[in-house]
Amino acid sequence: MLRKPHRRAIEPHHRPIEQRRRLILAATPLALAAVVLAGCATQTASSTTTPTTDASTTETAAVVDSDLSAAAVLAANADVTVVQDDEWSETDAADITLSGSTASSDSDAVTVDGSTVTITEAGVFRLSGSLGGQVVVAAPEDAQVVLILDDADISASDSPAITVTSADDVAISLAAGSDNSVSDASSYEEDADANAAIYAGADLTISGTGALTVSGNGNDGITSTDDLVILSGEITVDAVDDALRGKDSLTVEGGTLELAAAGDALKSDQTDDATQGFVVIGGGTVTAESGDDAIAAATDAVITGGTVTLTAGTDAATSDDSPKGVTAGLVVAIDGGDVTIEAMDDAVHSDGSIGIGGGSVTVSAGDDGIHAEQRLEIRDGTVTVAESYEGLEATDVAISGGTVDLTSSDDGVNAASGAAADAQGGGMGGGGEQDTGETLTISGGSVRVEAVGDGLDSNGTISVTGGTTVVSGPSSAGGQGALDANGEIAIDGGGLFVAGSVLVTPTGTQPWVAATASGSAGDTVEVTDASGAVIASFEADQSFSAVFYSGPVVADGGSYTITVNGVTAATVSEGVNVSGGGMGGGMG
């Protein structure tokens, strides 16, 4: 017998309701502009007021929990409804035979009207054969309906191929060894509710080990107005708009997904509830090409496992003019998985904050590699920005662990904000002499920066207290500097090696040495102490005219020799500015 359906959360979503946070990015009347929407343990970013055509509204910045781990972000969101395979039995299945323009079944829960097959009761149903029509689930609101696709081919000319108009939970199971396909109408009316090849007005789970090919000819590929969960299966989707869309949430726990979308590839766009509207990838293999954003989440985008390969901007001329790899309204949290992104705009973007605590992230971006409007933190994992305008950008950037490798045509790491832009009359990273409060902090990890613009840049302060940081560039001054801040640059720990052009005099407790020394990309720069021992060594990624090093082995007042490819370039004393050009006394 079919077991009664119940709501089961995909771990780690299950949590007491009182632990949830409530977050939002919204337009509010000016009279309410001072109201901050907050949840448990929050950080509040500076609010920004943006003029609109309606002078009575203002935009309020998102309020994001200070814990940006994937577990904390998921704990702040609503439970996800999923139909697990152990909740139903294949032996209970009633057969539905699809036969061209009609179908047949012995089940009293199945009616056939021409080429329309309607399931009216809870149960398990096996569909086999070909149908030039549609399958409709119109079951009671408390019904659990399972559709086993066993070499089923459903093609609709004027509607979705599979439509769920009513039910509690619906599951599509892909029978082992089966090859299934669905396709829908070539177009829909603008006000059509059901507008996908598979459209569910209920929670939808897809599982099984078979294959499913979905052609979204008129709009989306697979859509659920509630939770959409993919547990397993070989699923290929080609859609003229979004490939996968779960309005309340979209979760991928396994399977092999090949997605092609002129719009967004994976999307959740619930904006009425701040605990919904999230996209989660916890496993499987996901390959997606999109004209717009590859992953678009109204609230949170979370990756904890799997192999994820995203290409955003395959057809930007006919869709979004700024397609991003991963975009979220509140938080992007990546704590695992192997993620590769190529995007015409930002590779990873959040209107709130971004936390990376594990996994491997490799990106190439037409604009920023990783961009957050509020906080960007890297705690662990491997982050590689192979190509970008700016490598990392956020109001507050904090690197405490992991391996970070950045290549940029402008700034490598930029701590800047809209508030700073307003104060200085420029865009994010517009530069200026006023310290507007942004922070760039490196307290651990391994960081390599190759930048044409500033290597490390902050409209506020820069603090280095740990880790190993290597900065190559810029090759020439031109208003740029290897270290550039409107406020204080403090070095109190770690190792910082720079081969670039204009440098600055830092503060902090840790000794340093600097020298005028020229070289080219690939040259080896070494720092030796008075005894001839090499205390630091570095291979430059660009040509340079000045060298700087600060580390725990530099002695206060000591004498040091800088060599380039084994040839002595300068002998300098600790803490002494370079005369005649590389080192400057100001802060950028």
Side-chain angles (χ1 to χ4, degrees), residues 486-501:
N486 296 346
E488 185 179 49
I489 298 176
I491 303 175
D492 293 296
L496 175 60
F497 208 144
V498 176
S501 56

Side-chain angles (χ1 to χ4, degrees), residues 14 33 42 47 50 79 88 91 102 114 174 180 191 193 242 249 256 296 363 370 392 423 503 510 523 537 572-573:
H14 187 69
T42 62
S47 296
T50 304
D79 289 342
W88 56 274
T91 59
T102 188
L174 309 175
N180 309 280
D191 58 351
D193 290 330
D242 305 330
S249 71
T256 300
V363 306
I370 302 176
L392 308 179
L503 304 174
Q510 183 163 276
D523 287 351
S537 179
V572 295
S573 297

Side-chain angles (χ1 to χ4, degrees), residues 161-310:
I162 298 175
T163 306
V164 178
T165 60
S166 61
D168 185 14
D169 304 310
V170 175
I172 295 177
S173 177
L174 309 175
S178 67
D179 193 354
N180 309 280
S181 64
V182 297
S183 63
D184 65 344
S186 60
S187 64
Y188 293 95
E189 297 294 332
E190 289 188 6
D191 58 351
D193 290 330
N195 56 2
I198 298 176
Y199 181 89
D203 297 305
L204 176 63
T205 301
I206 299 176
S207 65
T209 58
L212 173 63
T213 299
V214 178
S215 298
N217 299 314
N219 193 52
D220 296 345
I222 303 174
T223 288
S224 167
T225 60
D226 297 329
D227 296 328
L228 173 58
V229 177
I230 297 178
L231 298 177
S232 58
E234 297 182 14
I235 301 171
T236 301
V237 180
D238 191 344
V240 298
D241 194 13
D242 305 330
L244 302 178
R245 175 176 170 262
K247 185 171 183 63
D248 288 350
S249 71
L250 169 58
T251 301
V252 178
E253 287 292 313
T256 300
L257 280 60
E258 293 280 347
L259 310 176
D264 302 325
L266 301 99
K267 182 175 187 176
S268 182
D269 56 356
Q270 177 61 268
T271 58
D272 294 336
D273 186 338
T275 67
Q276 297 179 332
F278 55 89
V279 176
V280 179
I281 299 178
T285 300
V286 179
T287 303
E289 294 186 356
S290 62
D292 288 355
D293 305 326
I295 296 178
T299 56
D300 304 323
V302 179
I303 301 175
T304 60
T307 300
V308 181
T309 304
L310 308 175

Side-chain angles (χ1 to χ4, degrees), residues 363-406:
V363 306
S364 296
D367 197 4
D368 298 340
I370 302 176
H371 176 110
E373 292 295 326
Q374 295 183 23
R375 180 176 176 83
L376 165 58
E377 63 179 33
I378 298 175
R379 305 180 305 275
D380 202 352
T382 301
V383 177
T384 303
V385 178
E387 182 180 0
S388 67
Y389 178 68
E390 293 189 332
L392 308 179
E393 183 175 58
T395 298
D396 298 298
V397 180
I399 301 172
S400 59
T403 300
V404 181
D405 193 318
L406 308 175

Side-chain angles (χ1 to χ4, degrees), residues 13-27:
H13 289 226
H14 187 69
R15 86 288 301 166
I17 185 93
E18 61 269 15
Q19 291 182 6
R20 298 175 186 167
R21 63 178 174 175
R22 302 274 176 177
L23 309 175
I24 197 165
L25 203 71

Side-chain angles (χ1 to χ4, degrees), residues 40-260:
C40 58
T42 62
Q43 64 173 34
T44 305
S46 300
S47 296
T48 59
T49 301
T50 304
T52 67
T53 55
D54 182 355
S56 66
T57 62
T58 184
E59 184 175 297
T60 301
V63 179
V64 178
D65 284 3
S66 57
D67 189 345
L68 298 178
S69 68
V73 172
L74 292 175
N77 287 324
D79 289 342
V80 171
T81 298
V82 57
V83 179
Q84 301 284 1
D85 290 340
D86 61 2
E87 295 184 48
W88 56 274
S89 174
E90 188 174 354
T91 59
D92 296 331
D95 290 330
I96 301 175
T97 302
L98 309 177
S99 306
S101 60
T102 188
S104 60
S105 177
D106 293 334
S107 173
D108 293 338
V110 179
T111 63
V112 179
D113 182 6
S115 61
T116 300
V117 178
T118 303
I119 297 170
T120 59
E121 299 293 340
V124 182
F125 304 88
R126 183 188 304 273
L127 289 80
S128 302
S130 298
L131 175 67
Q134 67 170 324
V135 174
V136 178
V137 176
E141 294 295 335
D142 61 349
Q144 176 177 284
V145 177
V146 178
L147 306 179
I148 301 175
L149 301 186
D150 192 352
D151 289 325
D153 181 0
I154 306 170
S155 178
S157 60
D158 58 359
S159 67
I162 298 175
T163 306
V164 178
T165 60
S166 61
D168 185 14
D169 304 310
V170 175
I172 295 177
S173 177
L174 309 175
S178 67
D179 193 354
N180 309 280
S181 64
V182 297
S183 63
D184 65 344
S186 60
S187 64
Y188 293 95
E189 297 294 332
E190 289 188 6
D191 58 351
D193 290 330
N195 56 2
I198 298 176
Y199 181 89
D203 297 305
L204 176 63
T205 301
I206 299 176
S207 65
T209 58
L212 173 63
T213 299
V214 178
S215 298
N217 299 314
N219 193 52
D220 296 345
I222 303 174
T223 288
S224 167
T225 60
D226 297 329
D227 296 328
L228 173 58
V229 177
I230 297 178
L231 298 177
S232 58
E234 297 182 14
I235 301 171
T236 301
V237 180
D238 191 344
V240 298
D241 194 13
D242 305 330
L244 302 178
R245 175 176 170 262
K247 185 171 183 63
D248 288 350
S249 71
L250 169 58
T251 301
V252 178
E253 287 292 313
T256 300
L257 280 60
E258 293 280 347
L259 310 176

